[in-house]
């Protein structure tokens, strides 16, 4: 009962504050008569300069700006994919449908293989007004093979008339059957240009591509884009909103691109949307809903995946500072994506090697746990392995903290990140092993590592998740799946930290109060994960709630009584329902993943979401090193640590709350990974924190399993009390090992 009351009380206190970041969409008075979308594949913030690109610079000074994630159904988002995604308002794939060079030529030329294929779209002009794309049928068929429910031309189908200027614009403006309402291969001159952009309420302009492989080539291409934008600005209709965006990548390295909105209601500030919930970030799929919203048209929610853009505060007054921040975010995201590929593999391999090294030590310690046996393992070797296991558990929190140091701004980024992370890991390990609790308590390492893990992630969430955004151990804006709140790796670290901390602290309170302590600590963690302004993951909050309830039910030890189980299930169900109701009643732009899914379920649009979730779980299951670590850790726990010589059974027997915390962590991390489309990634991150220190605890209880009893001498007064009285046998009291918690039951025996 204490569990349910605590969780509900904390939720009740927090519900009034469950709101997302402040953002304001333009009002009805800010609706535009015309919308012009001008796209340039490859346009990034470091291409924009007051001298070289004056039109882009002035537009950014008076308008609203942001960084654009060009996620599509193809990796990377090449120009054909980007333009098609823009016109569909959903993740699309056009690469390979008639607009790329022959595969043999690309395979023979390594330089060509690194570049995105240039647009080569067949365009027919059957009349003097519009155009026709003969390969649109194949493009539509290609989208049916994908799990996104993408409908090419959804943007054009939502308005009466769409004008396109240039090849890429024709791809975005083509209807599902290939018709482009108004088409101009190039922007006409002077008065004809104004007429061309006023023929339809929606116009799309291809400004060209910036795909130069050298700085000088990029400068020339950016200047050409800026000159064409100047013509668009001169011909722009009155009371129009102009959206300028880098709609695609131009090579195999995905990047963040520039996006600018200028028009009524878009003066200053950062751009954001419900898709990202992060000031200064938009997705490519948000541009189509934004255009429709500006024109006062209804968004086809069953087809489009994005949300209309909104304004957010926080932009520096100096544009140079704001653009530098955008360019820095792009560099950090690109660097973190490259480094994370080897970092997690290295972490997994190091931990697996440590597990293998511990096996003979465990077996040797077990054989020593008797009256006779071989010489115990050398203390120096034991101490070395303890330090290595502690450091391995602290590697992920150290990688998060490494985001404070701007390692991505230097030359050899991977090396610098590795050195910074190694230094932080060594510092955390040194501080941990030097504290008295580490040396005198069996659970000292478990509790201290868990507390550090929970504190690092919790503090990051409270301060805006700046360490996780574009961090090696966080999430990347380039992936287009999360831009704020808690990520999948952070979720695993936090789950393990919160539950193991609660399990360790249970020894500070009586048995009857342990469920109350676990539920109080767990409730605070649930609120951090589920609050939209903090963790922004209602699904993760539900998963952690399940883990907390299981831990609270098991932590008193002994048999699991039906009453405890019933209260745990009831509390978990109530908290889940409360979070679901709160999330679904939020405004659309503030809803989390759970609220959006429930909304989609109610209006019949959840099919693509479920399909994408299943696909994401499958990809994560077969491609992530954290999956390997999770599976190896599970095998190590079951085949090694749970054997009689493994020590974990003995650890669980002496410390039942640790067994409860481990069970809760396993449940929470598996549920959280499945709900978040990360499969076993959350479990792998939790295992990286928990398994090494659990192994350390198992080593310690085995090392003290053979501690002998000591004789307790009787007081001299008692010995001289009655000379005739026979002397009793000496009483031997089991000596409590220095490294075993005082909570361990003492054993009294007579020999």
């Amino acid at each position: 009962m204490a569990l349910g009351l605590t969780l509900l009380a904390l939720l009740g206190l927090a519900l009034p504050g469950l709101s997302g970041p402040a953002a304001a969409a333009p009002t009805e008075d800010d609706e535009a008569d015309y919308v012009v979308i001008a796209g340039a594949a490859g346009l990034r913030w470091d291409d924009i300069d007051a001298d070289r690109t004056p039109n882009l610079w002035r537009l950014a000074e008076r308008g609203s700006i942001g960084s654009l994630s060009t996620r599509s159904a193809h990796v990377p988002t090449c120009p054909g994919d980007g333009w098609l995604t823009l016109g569909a308002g959903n993740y699309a794939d056009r690469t390979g449908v008639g607009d790329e060079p022959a595969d043999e030529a690309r395979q023979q030329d390594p330089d060509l293989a690194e570049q995105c294929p240039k647009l080569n779209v067949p365009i027919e002009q059957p009349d003097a007004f519009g155009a026709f794309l003969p390969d649109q049928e194949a493009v539509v068929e290609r989208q049916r093979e994908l799990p996104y429910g993408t409908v090419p031309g959804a943007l054009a189908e939502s308005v009466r008339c769409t004008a396109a200027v240039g090849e890429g614009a024709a791809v975005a403006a083509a209807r599902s059957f290939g018709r482009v309402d108004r088409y101009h291969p190039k922007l006409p001159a002077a008065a004809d240009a104004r007429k061309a952009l006023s023929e339809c309420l929606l116009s799309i302009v291809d400004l060209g591509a910036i795909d130069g492989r050298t700085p000088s080539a990029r400068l020339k291409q950016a200047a050409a884009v800026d000159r064409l934008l100047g013509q668009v600005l001169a011909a722009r209709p009155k009371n129009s909103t102009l959206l300028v965006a880098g709609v695609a990548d131009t090579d195999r390295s995905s990047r963040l691109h520039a996006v600018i909105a200028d028009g009524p209601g878009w003066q200053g500030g950062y751009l954001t949307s419900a898709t990202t919930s992060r000031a200064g970030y938009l997705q490519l799929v948000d541009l189509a809903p934004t255009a429709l919203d500006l024109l006062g048209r209804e968004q086809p929610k069953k087809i489009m995946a994005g949300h209309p853009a909104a304004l957010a505060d926080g932009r520096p007054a100096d544009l140079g500072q704001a653009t530098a921040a955008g360019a820095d975010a792009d560099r950090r995201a690109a660097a973190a994506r490259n480094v994370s590929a080897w970092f997690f593999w290295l972490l997994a391999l190091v931990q697996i090697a440590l597990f293998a090294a511990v096996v003979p030590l465990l077996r040797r310690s077990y054989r020593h746990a008797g009256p006779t046996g071989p010489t115990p393992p050398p203390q120096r070797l034991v101490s070395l392995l303890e330090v290595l296991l502690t450091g391995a558990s602290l590697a992920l929190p150290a990688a998060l903290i490494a985001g404070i140091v701007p390692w991505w701004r230097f030359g050899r980024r991977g090396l610098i990140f590795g050195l910074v992370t190694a230094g932080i890991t060594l510092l955390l390990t040194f501080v941990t092993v030097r504290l008295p609790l580490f040396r005198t308590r069996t659970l000292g390492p478990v509790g201290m590592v868990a507390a550090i893990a929970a504190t690092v992630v919790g503090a990051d969430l409270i301060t805006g998740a700046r360490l996780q955004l574009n961090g090696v151990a966080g999430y990347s804006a380039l992936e287009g799946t999360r831009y704020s709140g808690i990520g999948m790796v952070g979720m695993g670290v936090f789950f393990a930290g919160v539950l193991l901390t609660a399990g360790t602290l249970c020894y500070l309170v009586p048995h009857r109060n342990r469920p109350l302590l676990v539920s109080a600590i767990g409730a605070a963690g649930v609120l951090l994960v589920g609050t939209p302004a903090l963790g922004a993951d209602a699904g993760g909050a539900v998963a952690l709630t399940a883990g907390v309830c299981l831990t609270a039910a098991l932590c008193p030890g002994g048999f699991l009584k039906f009453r405890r189980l019933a209260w745990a299930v009831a509390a978990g169900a109530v908290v889940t329902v409360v979070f679901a109701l709160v999330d679904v009643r939020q405004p659309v732009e503030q809803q989390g993943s759970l609220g959006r899914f429930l909304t989609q379920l109610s209006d019949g649009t959840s099919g693509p979401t479920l399909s994408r979730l299943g696909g994401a779980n499958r990809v994560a299951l077969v491609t992530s090193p954290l999956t390997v670590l999770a599976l190896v850790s599970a095998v190590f726990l079951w085949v090694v640590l749970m054997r009689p010589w493994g020590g974990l059974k003995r650890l669980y027997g002496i410390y039942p709350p640790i067994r409860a915390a481990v069970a809760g962590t396993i449940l929470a991390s598996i549920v959280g990974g499945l709900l978040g489309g990360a499969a076993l990634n959350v479990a792998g991150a939790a295992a990286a924190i928990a398994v090494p220190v659990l192994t350390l605890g198992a080593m310690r209880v085995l090392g003290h399993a053979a501690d002998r009893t000591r004789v307790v001498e009787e007081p001299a007064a008692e010995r001289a009390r009655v000379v005739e009285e026979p002397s009793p046998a000496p009483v031997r009291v089991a000596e409590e090992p220095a490294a075993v918690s005082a909570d361990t039951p003492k054993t009294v025996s007579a020999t």
Side-chain angles (χ1 to χ4, degrees):
M1 184 173 183
L3 169 65
L5 291 177
T6 304
L7 285 173
L8 292 177
L10 287 176
L11 281 173
L13 290 173
L15 289 183
L18 295 182
S19 60
T27 62
E28 292 184 1
D29 295 336
D30 296 327
E31 288 184 358
D33 294 334
Y34 298 91
V35 171
V36 179
I37 302 176
L43 177 65
R44 303 195 298 259
W45 280 115
D46 52 10
D47 296 319
I48 298 176
D49 180 83
D51 298 325
R52 298 187 300 267
T53 56
N55 295 310
L56 283 166
W57 186 265
R58 286 194 295 268
L59 199 68
E61 273 188 319
R62 67 171 181 260
S64 305
I65 64 174
S67 294
L68 184 71
S69 171
T70 57
R71 178 193 172 193
S72 69
H74 185 269
V75 180
T77 299
C78 291
D81 311 313
W83 285 110
L84 188 64
T85 297
L86 170 63
N90 205 338
Y91 310 109
D93 179 3
R94 202 184 199 282
T95 299
V97 186
D99 62 346
E100 66 175 349
D103 290 339
E104 295 133 4
R106 296 181 62 79
Q107 291 173 359
Q108 292 172 0
D109 188 350
D111 292 335
L112 186 61
E114 290 299 317
Q115 296 295 108
C116 274
K118 296 182 180 295
L119 277 177
N120 184 23
V121 182
I123 300 177
E124 300 176 356
Q125 292 184 265
D127 52 51
F129 302 102
F132 177 74
L133 273 58
D135 64 350
Q136 188 75 343
E137 182 179 354
V139 171
V140 172
E141 190 63 30
R142 169 62 180 147
Q143 311 317 306
R144 291 173 181 167
E145 302 172 1
L146 304 174
Y148 302 102
T150 303
V151 178
L155 176 59
E157 297 284 358
S158 300
V159 295
R160 188 171 183 179
C161 174
T162 305
V165 178
E167 190 177 18
V171 173
R175 297 178 182 267
S176 57
F177 53 89
R179 173 69 179 181
V180 181
D181 300 329
R182 298 288 186 272
Y183 178 68
H184 302 274
K186 295 182 179 180
L187 186 67
D192 291 337
R194 181 177 295 275
K195 180 180 178 182
L197 297 182
S198 304
E199 291 176 319
C200 301
L201 298 182
L202 174 64
S203 299
I204 304 175
V205 181
D206 184 353
L207 297 175
I210 303 176
D211 56 6
R213 305 191 65 182
T214 63
S216 59
R218 290 193 66 89
L219 290 177
K220 292 179 181 179
Q221 292 171 336
V225 166
D226 189 75
R227 287 193 296 271
L228 184 54
L229 177 63
Q231 299 177 35
V232 172
L233 291 172
R236 176 181 172 183
K238 292 183 179 179
N239 196 31
S240 64
T241 296
L242 174 62
L243 302 175
V244 179
V247 295
D249 297 306
T250 54
D251 56 30
R252 298 294 173 183
S253 61
S254 298
R255 304 292 294 269
L256 291 174
H257 297 81
V259 59
I260 306 170
D262 178 63
W266 302 100
Q267 288 85 30
Y270 274 129
L271 294 171
T272 186
S273 73
T275 312
T276 65
S277 299
R278 169 78 71 171
Y281 286 87
L282 277 186
Q283 270 206 45
L284 181 59
V285 294
D286 294 329
L287 296 184
T290 301
L292 294 179
D293 187 62
L294 290 170
L295 292 172
R297 301 296 194 272
E298 189 71 23
Q299 175 186 343
K301 295 181 179 179
K302 294 185 178 182
I303 297 175
M304 292 187 177
H307 296 83
L311 282 177
D313 298 329
R315 171 179 166 179
D318 180 27
L319 179 60
Q321 186 178 351
T323 57
D328 190 60
D330 172 39
R331 287 193 296 270
R332 181 181 181 183
R337 188 174 188 177
N338 294 331
V339 171
S340 64
W342 61 260
F343 171 76
F344 285 107
W345 277 115
L346 181 61
L347 176 66
L349 293 175
V350 168
Q351 293 207 3
I352 293 171
L354 283 175
F355 298 158
V358 165
V359 173
L361 189 65
L362 292 173
R363 294 184 66 90
R364 188 171 178 181
S365 298
Y366 178 73
R367 290 198 298 271
H368 179 67
T372 62
T375 305
Q379 186 57 41
R380 288 187 177 181
L381 177 60
V382 173
S383 300
L384 176 62
L385 281 175
E386 286 188 349
V387 171
L388 292 176
L389 288 169
T390 303
S393 286
L394 292 170
L396 279 181
L400 283 171
I401 298 174
I404 298 175
V405 180
W407 53 269
W408 58 90
R409 297 176 185 171
F410 303 98
R412 306 187 67 175
R413 300 168 181 174
L415 176 61
I416 294 176
F417 171 79
L419 293 175
V420 171
T421 303
I424 296 173
T425 302
L426 289 174
L427 178 61
L428 293 177
T429 304
F430 176 79
V431 172
T432 301
V433 300
R434 295 297 295 175
L435 292 177
L437 282 177
F438 184 92
R439 300 191 299 271
T440 61
R441 299 285 179 173
T442 298
L443 296 184
V446 177
M448 294 171 66
V449 168
I452 291 173
T455 301
V456 169
V457 178
D460 184 44
L461 294 179
I462 293 173
T463 56
R466 300 180 185 276
L467 297 180
Q468 293 185 75
L469 176 65
N470 296 327
V472 173
Y475 43 80
S476 174
L478 298 175
E479 302 292 339
T481 55
R482 176 167 285 275
Y483 301 81
S484 62
I486 191 167
M488 295 297 103
V489 175
M491 187 180 293
V493 173
F494 190 68
F495 285 2
V498 167
L499 294 176
L500 287 176
T501 300
T504 305
L505 292 178
C506 279
Y507 293 96
L508 299 178
V509 298
H511 284 70
R512 65 179 181 277
N513 292 334
R514 287 176 177 177
L516 181 63
L517 176 65
V518 170
S519 58
I521 295 174
V526 167
L527 292 176
L528 275 175
V529 173
T531 303
L534 299 173
D537 197 317
V542 170
L544 182 54
T545 298
V548 170
C549 291
L550 181 60
T551 304
L554 293 175
C555 68
F559 293 103
L560 180 59
K561 297 180 180 179
F562 176 78
R563 182 181 179 185
R564 274 190 279 156
L565 179 62
W567 273 111
V569 173
V574 170
V575 172
T576 299
V577 171
V578 168
F579 261 107
L581 290 177
V582 169
D583 203 19
V584 80
R585 292 184 178 181
Q586 293 287 328
V588 175
E589 64 274 7
Q590 296 181 5
Q591 284 182 353
S593 56
L594 181 61
R596 292 178 198 171
F597 173 72
L598 292 176
T599 301
Q600 293 168 348
L601 194 65
S602 64
D603 60 21
T605 62
S606 61
T609 300
L610 287 174
S611 181
R612 288 196 298 270
L613 189 63
N617 277 309
R618 288 192 298 271
V619 171
L621 186 63
V622 300
T623 61
S624 174
L626 287 176
T627 297
V628 176
L629 182 58
L631 294 176
V632 172
S633 298
V635 172
F636 179 70
L637 284 173
W638 185 255
V639 176
V640 176
L641 294 185
M642 291 300 290
R643 297 291 294 274
W645 49 267
L648 193 58
K649 283 186 177 180
R650 182 176 177 83
L651 183 70
Y652 284 170
I654 299 174
Y655 308 103
I658 296 301
R659 178 188 61 180
V662 172
T665 301
I666 293 173
L667 176 63
S669 59
I670 291 177
V671 173
L674 293 177
L675 292 179
L680 296 179
N681 280 357
V682 178
I689 298 294
V691 177
V693 287
L694 289 174
T695 305
L696 195 159
M699 289 169 52
R700 287 193 168 183
V701 295
L702 283 180
H704 293 286
D707 286 354
R708 310 319 305 152
T709 58
R710 60 182 174 84
V711 176
V712 179
E713 297 289 345
E714 294 182 68
E718 291 295 326
R719 290 199 302 269
R721 184 181 48 178
V722 181
V723 178
E724 297 80 11
E725 193 175 60
S727 298
V731 178
R732 297 179 181 270
V733 180
E735 181 180 7
E736 184 182 356
V740 178
S741 171
D743 191 70
T744 306
K746 295 180 175 60
T747 303
V748 180
S749 62
T751 60

